[in-house]
Amino acid sequence: MTATATATVSYKELGFVNTREMFRNAMKDGYAVPAYNFNNMEQLQAILTACVRSRSPVILQISKGARDYANATLLRWMGRGAMEMLKEMKEGPVPVALHLDHGDTFELCKSCIDSGFSSVMIDGSSKSYEDNVKLTKQVVEYAHAHDVTVEGELGVLAGIEDEVQSEHSHYTDPAQVEDFVKRTGVDSLAISIGTSHGAFKFKVGPGEEVPPLRFDILEECERRIPGFPIVLHGASSVLTSYIDMINKYGGKMENAVGVPAEQLRKAAKSAVCKINIDSDGRLVMTAVIRKVFAEKPGEFDPRKYLGPARDELIKMYADKNQTVLGSAGRV
Ligand code: G3H
Ligand code: 13P
Ligand code: ZN
């Protein structure tokens, strides 16, 4: 299919950038760009504030579920509003990409491209290899006609990817990556090396260590597609301080386990150029709101519990950029 430029709004007019240069820089200097999901105003404010203060490029992610929850139109206007807010911040702007997370159809990707997204993910990982290639290629052709970058996925992560739930993960087969990248023309590739979505990533008994990610698969992929940007999904660390807070203030998340920061640091130094984090943000919000409600049961002004949650989110994101992804100070 040859697509013509039919976009109603180009992301360039809105001030977003695609991920091409972001990934080139990340690959060259050995860090990963944060991709943080947002569903509401407080999360968006916190992500931008943290990334502007820590001078980090950032990928703002909107999932299909987020579009359904917050309304697709409202959410993308929030993204645009964020770019205006950015211009007013005294620290100065940082590169921001607006990205569709786990797009599952050509129509969804097209709708996002037409309405100002600078990057889309087409997740054909639940399909057969040939169907994944076909769908991804179709999205790439349309996206590239608008200078929008595309992330594909090979291998399946366990957990919920929007409505697609997979109980078991399937590691990426490195033998497929070169053919996939060549035939689809994707700009980056999400691979499965043992992470999963959500807050319960591993079953770990008392005193047991979290199993290491399959860095051997990552290395084999790097060998077969040298210099090509790799994406790591399911990369929340599920920080114990917030899990403890949740459990202390009435929650019940006893066996929550994430990816140790040390393993993410190692990944960020490799060809992994984009690290996806959603659950850690959810946990921070839940922990702080539970604490406020427990300590002030009479509180009923949402600003009094969402405000402290936003403050804590800023700290968590800034710390990730600084100490885990290595993206702080790169702008
Ligand atoms: O990959 C999953 C992301 O965390 C998005 O989650 O589909 O519940 O918005 P969601
Ligand atoms: P987490 O659930 O580990 O935050 O992963 C988020 C993600 O991969 C979004 O695409
Ligand atoms: Zn994901």
Side-chain angles (χ1 to χ4, degrees), residues 182-297:
K182 209 179 274 171
R183 283 171 65 197
T184 59
V186 277
D187 302 280
S188 60
L189 183 67
I191 62 169
S192 173
I193 57 167
T195 62
S196 58
H197 291 105
F200 300 87
K201 298 189 190 297
F202 306 98
K203 282 202 173 71
V204 183
E208 277 175 21
E209 294 267 304
V210 171
L213 298 179
R214 291 289 305 272
F215 282 97
D216 56 323
I217 296 178
L218 171 60
E219 280 158 22
E220 188 54 24
C221 291
E222 287 185 82
R223 200 182 65 75
R224 288 171 186 255
I225 42 172
F228 192 81
I230 304 283
V231 178
L232 198 60
H233 283 246
S236 280
S237 286
V238 185
L239 300 155
T240 35
S241 53
Y242 299 114
I243 294 295
D244 291 348
M245 233 166 118
I246 288 172
N247 291 334
K248 178 174 172 190
Y249 293 108
K252 205 165 166 31
M253 296 192 71
E254 268 89 18
N255 298 316
V257 184
V259 185
E262 204 38 58
Q263 296 196 39
L264 296 171
R265 272 185 212 111
K266 182 174 169 187
K269 289 193 181 103
S270 74
V272 170
C273 291
K274 172 175 181 270
I275 290 194
N276 282 20
I277 293 169
D278 186 1
S279 297
D280 278 341
R282 297 178 182 196
L283 293 169
V284 167
M285 288 203 86
T286 305
V288 174
I289 292 169
R290 278 196 176 280
K291 181 171 188 285
V292 173
F293 283 165
E295 289 175 351
K296 300 177 191 161

Side-chain angles (χ1 to χ4, degrees), residues 48 63 87 105 109 119 140 148 153 207 222 285 304:
L48 277 176
S63 70
K87 289 182 198 156
T105 62
C109 293
S119 174
V140 168
V148 167
E153 181 168 333
E222 287 185 82
M285 288 203 86
K304 300 283 168 51

